[in-house]
Amino acid sequence: MWLTMDPTSETKNLTSNPSETQTVEQQRSTGVSWLLLAAAGAASLSGLMLGYEMGLTSGVLLQLRGLLSLTCRQQELLVSSHLLGALLICLAGGPVLDRYGRRCSLLLSAALVVGGSVVLMASSSLVAFTLGRVVVGMGTSLSGTAACLYIAEISPRERRGLLVTLYELMLVVGVMLGFSCSYAFAALPNGWAYTFGLVIPPALLQMAALVFLPPSPRFLVTRGKVQQARVVLARMRGGTEEHLEKELMDIRTGLKEESEHSFWELFSSKANLRSRLLTGVTLVFLQQATGQPNILSYASPLLRSVGFDSDAAATLASTGFGVVKVVGTIPAVLLVDSVGPRSFLCGGAVAMGTSLVALGALTLQSHTNLSSLCKSHTGSNRTHAPWDLNETAAQLGSGDIFATDHPHRWNSEESRRADREDGGVGGASGRGSSLLKWASLISLLVYVAAFSVSLGPMVYVVLSEIFPMGVRGRAVSVVSAVNWATNLLISMTFLTATEKIGVANMMFLYAAMSFVLLLFVIFCVPDTKGRTLEEISKELAEK
């Protein structure tokens, strides 16, 4: 409804009496605005699929590491295989985006998600699971890049930030669903197969919707289809012919100035492309280096380490992360166009750093040892992990995978003794350990909320705005490759790193990176609020 209630200033100037204004408003309130909303919604299903795959990881990991008797390194491989696929498609996705367009890229990526999910549902070995996750990672990564570009290029300037952050809203809803479904299906035989398969319906829905939706008008202009682009703009915007011609002229003028850019000029000083690329690369690097990938991918094992006594309890508690991400993203979506992405990034960086410092201090107090993160302890709480009912005899001999005494995660003798005295509370000193457990959970939730209102959605907004149209697809693909490569590196080393330096020092390191992010945003990220893509590109080229 909000799409039809805010006429542009051009429309106000062109309408001289109430009846004309009413006519324009009626034109805007018909299928025109709903087409824009439908296109943005269909593209945003990419965020739902990516978020779902991110959210299911930690819960499914607890199931599969018991089913397959996975070692610590094998668990890191399973988690990182999705990221490896995302990285591989990023290296080749730029030419696909620029040559075949955002809509065709979305169709291809949805097909990859469906194919990879079918492989996962039929898998019974680590190799098959890894292959399936790689294919799904390729699909969700290409889909995410294409979706953000598509939404940015079909949106009017007044609602571009809101519509782009719709992708992030769908992503966090997907994360919540991923956490929830991995818990809900844990009690069923081969519940992980159902969890993997639930991403297929939204992928098929997206494919069906995209068949009936128009390409990006900016992409049509790059292909020389100006008349078709004019028709698409008329369907998307409504309003007067003069208003449409002005927007089309702005697009053509911007493309003409940018058409000479080649891929290698991304790394040159021409039009400040190298500076823009470095801005995007640094922003996505800090997005990953502040620890969010590991908080999501290892949420359930991490919560077990701070005192939640069973795999099921830890998986259920981690579902709260998904709920918090959804709640935190809503104000970002509603206020991004009035506040601007830069302000959200600054506030989020401060909140993230503060919560991580608190979490590190609490971890020191609780004497947590994360070396047990790699293990699937069951002991007396075996009935709390219903997926164990389907395990074969192969797992029964994996003594290093299953503990047989107590379900705690704190390995010191003091915590063992306190665990027996307090009936499995899982802390070093009864009530005090319980308080530390819940305080740690609250700190994690604050961190997740801060990320969700700032770094999560706002990075997509900034990346969709700072690059010229002529090289936007290739530029975003390069940035996305760095994004996924950083995510892959961090996720592949998290368990090993925490065994070496401890979780407290990892949290302090993430906190330091959050404050580095704050300084970077203040000094290097441009303010793009209320400007067209062409205006942003022109200003950045002149700086």
Side-chain angles (χ1 to χ4, degrees), residues 204-277:
L204 294 176
L205 176 61
Q206 185 183 55
M207 294 176 70
L210 287 169
V211 171
F212 301 99
L213 292 173
S216 158
R218 284 179 171 83
F219 172 74
L220 291 173
V221 173
T222 63
R223 301 291 95 182
K225 302 177 180 179
V226 179
Q227 182 57 37
Q228 189 174 346
R230 182 182 288 108
V231 173
V232 171
L233 276 175
R235 295 175 63 195
M236 290 283 187
R237 302 286 190 268
T240 64
E241 182 68 21
E242 183 177 348
H243 176 73
L244 295 177
E245 287 300 325
K246 181 181 185 300
E247 183 172 0
L248 185 61
M249 182 60 67
D250 288 340
I251 294 173
R252 297 181 67 181
T253 301
L255 288 175
K256 183 178 180 181
E257 295 175 352
E258 298 162 1
S259 60
E260 300 300 323
H261 295 312
S262 67
F263 173 77
W264 296 111
E265 286 177 347
L266 284 173
F267 307 95
S268 72
S269 58
K270 182 179 180 180
N272 281 320
L273 288 178
R274 182 168 54 206
S275 297
R276 300 196 216 185
L277 185 64

Side-chain angles (χ1 to χ4, degrees), residues 41-47 49 106-107 109-111 143 147 200-211 213:
S44 296
L45 287 174
S46 299
M49 292 184 285
L106 286 170
L107 287 167
S109 61
S143 182
I200 295 178
L204 294 176
L205 176 61
Q206 185 183 55
M207 294 176 70
L210 287 169
V211 171
L213 292 173

Side-chain angles (χ1 to χ4, degrees), residues 193-526:
Y194 297 103
T195 306
F196 282 133
L198 282 179
V199 76
I200 295 178
L204 294 176
L205 176 61
Q206 185 183 55
M207 294 176 70
L210 287 169
V211 171
F212 301 99
L213 292 173
S216 158
R218 284 179 171 83
F219 172 74
L220 291 173
V221 173
T222 63
R223 301 291 95 182
K225 302 177 180 179
V226 179
Q227 182 57 37
Q228 189 174 346
R230 182 182 288 108
V231 173
V232 171
L233 276 175
R235 295 175 63 195
M236 290 283 187
R237 302 286 190 268
T240 64
E241 182 68 21
E242 183 177 348
H243 176 73
L244 295 177
E245 287 300 325
K246 181 181 185 300
E247 183 172 0
L248 185 61
M249 182 60 67
D250 288 340
I251 294 173
R252 297 181 67 181
T253 301
L255 288 175
K256 183 178 180 181
E257 295 175 352
E258 298 162 1
S259 60
E260 300 300 323
H261 295 312
S262 67
F263 173 77
W264 296 111
E265 286 177 347
L266 284 173
F267 307 95
S268 72
S269 58
K270 182 179 180 180
N272 281 320
L273 288 178
R274 182 168 54 206
S275 297
R276 300 196 216 185
L277 185 64
L278 287 174
T279 298
V281 165
T282 306
L283 196 57
V284 297
F285 171 80
L286 291 172
Q287 184 186 39
Q288 305 302 325
T290 50
Q292 179 73 181
N294 293 328
I295 297 298
L296 292 180
S297 298
Y298 298 101
S300 296
L302 183 62
L303 288 169
R304 289 217 63 172
S305 74
V306 297
F308 288 87
D309 297 334
S310 70
D311 287 349
T315 304
L316 179 60
S318 66
T319 305
F321 288 6
V323 175
V324 168
K325 285 186 73 67
V326 172
V327 174
T329 304
I330 290 175
V333 172
L334 297 178
L335 299 175
V336 59
D337 289 308
S338 58
V339 177
R342 195 166 178 266
S343 299
F344 273 112
L345 286 170
C346 290
V350 172
M352 289 166 59
T354 304
S355 60
L356 287 168
V357 169
L359 181 60
L362 289 168
T363 303
L364 288 176
Q365 291 295 320
S366 64
H367 307 290
T368 303
N369 185 344
L370 276 187
S371 62
S372 56
L373 253 181
C374 299
K375 303 176 183 179
S376 181
H377 299 256
T378 55
S380 60
N381 279 345
R382 188 176 183 84
T383 58
H384 291 271
W387 47 80
D388 290 344
L389 297 175
N390 296 315
E391 294 174 3
T392 63
Q395 292 114 279
L396 299 179
S398 55
D400 60 330
I401 299 296
F402 297 106
T404 57
D405 48 1
H406 296 285
H408 53 74
R409 285 294 170 276
W410 298 346
N411 295 331
S412 66
E413 276 304 316
E414 180 183 359
S415 63
R416 292 172 188 264
R417 186 164 52 251
D419 193 34
R420 291 191 295 269
E421 293 171 357
D422 294 304
V425 171
S429 58
R431 183 184 303 174
S433 67
S434 180
L435 290 175
L436 287 173
K437 176 180 71 174
W438 290 107
S440 298
L441 176 60
I442 292 172
S443 297
L444 281 170
L445 293 176
V446 171
Y447 166 77
V448 171
F451 181 93
S452 301
V453 80
S454 61
L455 203 55
M458 299 308 156
V459 167
Y460 296 106
V461 177
V462 173
L463 292 181
S464 67
E465 294 176 335
I466 63 174
F467 295 113
M469 175 62 197
V471 292
R472 186 173 296 142
R474 285 166 286 179
V476 173
S477 291
V478 171
V479 173
S480 296
V482 174
N483 178 42
W484 290 113
T486 306
N487 195 336
L488 176 65
L489 177 63
I490 291 174
S491 297
M492 285 189 67
T493 58
F494 177 68
L495 296 179
T496 304
T498 50
E499 290 179 337
K500 298 293 184 182
I501 67 174
V503 67
N505 288 330
M506 287 296 295
M507 296 302 107
F508 291 141
L509 178 60
Y510 291 155
M513 297 306 295
S514 297
F515 292 116
V516 171
L517 169 67
L518 175 62
L519 295 176
F520 176 75
V521 171
I522 292 174
F523 293 107
C524 300
V525 175

